[in-house]
Amino acid sequence: MQKTLDRIVSGWNKLVGCEESFSMENRLYNVVCVLTIAILFIFLGNSLMLHLWQSAVIAAAVMLLQFVFFYFSRFKKRFNKSIILNAIVGYVALYFNFFVNSGSNGPTLFVFFLTFHLLIAITPNKMHIVWIALHIASICVLLSLERLHPKFIIHNYATVNDRIVDIVSTYVVSLLFTYFIVRHLRNYLNRQKRETEASALKLKAMFESSDSCQIFLDRKMQVLYFNRGSAEFFNRMYQKEIIMGMSMQQVINPAYFCDFEKNFTQALHGISTQEDRLLKYYETENIWWHISYTPVIDDMKNTIGVSFVASDITEIKMQQENIRRKNESLMKIAHIQAHETRTPVVNILGIMELIKSEGYENAYKYLPLMEVAVLNLDEKIKEIVGQTNEARKNSVAIANLL
């Protein structure tokens, strides 16, 4: 049973398009096309049974066009063009059906009401005013023509029972169709809500587990959201509680506010910014921050706020400074070893060669020169030791700061 149901669901998704490849409106339009074809088939059979030949021709023609519109929307992905052409054909078909199927005494007004629901459900908001105006204008014009020129209306019902059957069947189909569309939308929205809530929980868990200060701000620099790290920092540093809706100017370091405002404004214009900044707090604590400003953009590509994230990188900066000082000391030691230490060594070697060549009995003449060279070498060795001790002291001092 479950396998059969899964196959039906899979087949239906293939027919109307999967959510990964089609928007909600596009999938809903594809669903509407499929259901409209089925409904027109019912209308066609009903018209033929009641001998409403003109209505049968209209139903058959519109059903054929629905196949074309569905093909372009589902397989060619020409959703917008398809729906506009479909709406035009729908209006024309309803106008004809109104005149050939008893006017206001027939079922056309029910179908007008149905098409309005469909168009509102599957088109952008900016098109809604167009459909409202067209539907109101269409009904007013058609009823006025019926009132002023009743001979334009063709009455095809053979009996009163035929009229009742046609109206009731159209009403029932319209009712079921509207229910199905509304139910489809509600299911979609409920599913989206569940997915959004699950994503929000994951995002919140990720934010709360971070020690960084993460704050979402609206366009007026007011706090929309902050994580645990932000609350703990402001409470520890300022003995101040950060709350939703408060201005960021109330909590940001005054010495940094001008730069903050500049970067915030750039983010509102779509420019992301990152910087490392050393800030002092009451002359008791220095903190290096890595600060980023990122625009928050909605589905309509509008910048609705700014994400402000500040991470404490003091330890990293201290480690970098330690490495820099060590490298400077090593470079100095290497320079002394490569250049300055080499000179007294070369002098000593030269004196030794002179002693060897002239005989060791004359070595006393070169002892003063040997003494000077040895003393120079000793000074350079002491300088190397001093640089080594300086590097060690710098490491200890930086470690104490951490």
Side-chain angles (χ1 to χ4, degrees), residues 4-176:
T4 303
L5 183 60
D6 291 341
R7 282 196 293 267
I8 293 174
V9 172
S10 176
W12 177 255
N13 288 332
K14 289 181 180 179
L15 181 63
V16 301
C18 60
E19 292 186 4
E20 290 76 13
S21 302
F22 294 86
S23 65
M24 183 273 290
E25 292 82 0
N26 198 341
R27 292 185 76 246
L28 182 58
Y29 175 69
N30 295 340
V31 171
V32 168
C33 286
V34 172
L35 294 180
T36 301
I37 292 171
I39 290 172
L40 287 171
F41 184 79
I42 296 173
F43 283 167
L44 176 61
N46 187 58
S47 298
L48 292 174
M49 182 181 67
L50 298 174
H51 305 293
L52 302 175
W53 310 118
Q54 294 91 339
S55 295
V57 171
I58 294 173
V62 174
M63 184 168 63
L64 179 62
L65 289 172
Q66 284 295 323
F67 276 109
V68 176
F69 296 144
F70 174 73
Y71 172 78
F72 275 96
S73 174
R74 171 61 181 86
F75 299 103
K76 295 295 184 180
K77 296 186 178 180
R78 304 274 182 86
F79 167 62
N80 292 326
K81 291 182 179 180
S82 178
I83 194 171
I84 296 298
L85 291 175
N86 200 345
I88 294 172
V89 170
Y91 277 113
V92 173
L94 289 175
Y95 296 157
F96 273 108
N97 195 66
F98 182 84
F99 289 110
V100 303
N101 196 12
S102 302
S104 60
N105 291 317
T108 307
L109 297 183
F110 290 126
V111 184
F112 260 109
F113 193 66
L114 172 62
T115 56
F116 176 75
H117 281 84
L118 300 181
L119 291 172
I120 292 296
I122 59 180
T123 56
N125 292 338
K126 61 183 179 181
M127 293 294 296
H128 292 178
I129 188 65
V130 176
W131 307 131
I132 293 173
L134 282 175
H135 270 69
I136 293 175
S138 297
I139 295 301
C140 291
V141 169
L142 291 174
L143 292 178
S144 296
L145 287 174
E146 183 181 30
R147 175 69 178 84
L148 298 174
H149 303 282
K151 61 182 179 179
F152 289 171
I153 306 300
I154 300 175
H155 298 277
N156 288 327
Y157 294 117
T159 64
V160 174
N161 288 338
D162 289 346
R163 174 175 174 271
I164 293 174
V165 169
D166 193 24
I167 291 177
V168 170
S169 60
T170 302
Y171 177 78
V172 171
V173 170
S174 300
L175 193 69
L176 294 175

Side-chain angles (χ1 to χ4, degrees), residues 105-378:
N105 291 317
T108 307
L109 297 183
F110 290 126
V111 184
F112 260 109
F113 193 66
L114 172 62
T115 56
F116 176 75
H117 281 84
L118 300 181
L119 291 172
I120 292 296
I122 59 180
T123 56
N125 292 338
K126 61 183 179 181
M127 293 294 296
H128 292 178
I129 188 65
V130 176
W131 307 131
I132 293 173
L134 282 175
H135 270 69
I136 293 175
S138 297
I139 295 301
C140 291
V141 169
L142 291 174
L143 292 178
S144 296
L145 287 174
E146 183 181 30
R147 175 69 178 84
L148 298 174
H149 303 282
K151 61 182 179 179
F152 289 171
I153 306 300
I154 300 175
H155 298 277
N156 288 327
Y157 294 117
T159 64
V160 174
N161 288 338
D162 289 346
R163 174 175 174 271
I164 293 174
V165 169
D166 193 24
I167 291 177
V168 170
S169 60
T170 302
Y171 177 78
V172 171
V173 170
S174 300
L175 193 69
L176 294 175
F177 199 99
T178 303
Y179 170 79
F180 182 86
I181 295 301
V182 173
R183 185 62 182 267
H184 181 84
L185 287 174
R186 288 189 61 181
N187 289 339
Y188 176 82
L189 293 175
N190 288 334
R191 187 166 62 253
Q192 289 293 104
K193 181 181 178 182
R194 290 193 296 269
E195 293 175 358
T196 301
E197 289 175 348
S199 299
L201 287 174
K202 292 178 181 177
L203 189 62
K204 184 176 181 180
M206 182 181 67
F207 285 153
E208 295 302 330
S209 64
S210 173
D211 292 329
S212 299
C213 295
Q214 303 187 23
I215 304 175
F216 289 169
L217 305 169
D218 65 11
R219 295 184 63 88
K220 296 181 180 180
M221 214 180 290
Q222 293 179 335
V223 177
L224 295 178
Y225 172 79
F226 59 91
N227 69 336
R228 175 185 53 81
S230 302
E232 291 179 352
F233 172 78
F234 286 109
N235 185 53
R236 175 176 65 86
M237 194 61 65
Y238 299 113
Q239 291 76 49
K240 183 182 295 185
E241 182 181 2
I242 182 173
I243 59 176
M244 303 290 188
M246 72 186 309
S247 173
M248 197 62 180
Q249 189 173 4
Q250 297 176 250
V251 294
I252 201 72
N253 190 314
Y256 180 64
F257 182 73
C258 289
D259 291 335
F260 171 86
E261 189 174 30
K262 181 186 70 174
N263 294 329
F264 178 85
T265 303
Q266 286 183 334
L268 288 181
H269 289 86
I271 303 173
S272 298
T273 306
Q274 295 188 27
E275 64 175 352
D276 293 344
R277 177 64 67 91
L278 176 63
L279 295 178
K280 297 183 179 180
Y281 297 90
Y282 299 120
E283 299 182 355
T284 59
E285 184 174 354
N286 297 334
I287 299 179
W288 273 99
W289 295 103
H290 176 74
I291 305 171
S292 65
Y293 302 79
T294 307
V296 179
I297 301 173
D298 63 11
D299 294 336
M300 305 300 292
K301 307 301 182 182
N302 297 319
T303 302
I304 60 174
V306 174
S307 170
F308 172 81
V309 180
S311 302
D312 187 345
I313 57 169
T314 305
E315 183 174 352
I316 295 174
K317 283 292 184 179
M318 291 300 181
Q319 290 173 351
Q320 291 175 347
E321 179 64 14
N322 187 17
I323 293 172
R324 185 188 66 81
R325 292 183 182 181
K326 281 184 177 180
N327 288 337
E328 287 183 355
S329 297
L330 290 173
M331 291 297 293
K332 290 179 180 179
I333 292 171
H335 179 79
I336 293 171
Q337 289 176 334
H339 301 284
E340 299 179 21
T341 307
R342 183 65 179 166
T343 300
V345 171
V346 170
N347 292 336
I348 292 172
L349 292 174
I351 293 171
M352 292 298 297
E353 287 296 325
L354 288 173
I355 293 173
K356 288 180 181 179
S357 63
E358 295 184 7
Y360 288 97
E361 63 276 4
N362 297 322
Y364 68 92
K365 298 188 299 182
Y366 298 103
L367 288 178
L369 297 176
M370 181 75 76
E371 183 181 9
V372 171
V374 170
L375 290 174
N376 287 336
L377 180 60
D378 184 57

Side-chain angles (χ1 to χ4, degrees), residues 373-387:
V374 170
L375 290 174
N376 287 336
L377 180 60
D378 184 57
E379 286 296 323
K380 298 306 176 183
I381 293 173
K382 289 179 179 178
E383 190 173 349
I384 292 174
V385 173
Q387 289 292 334

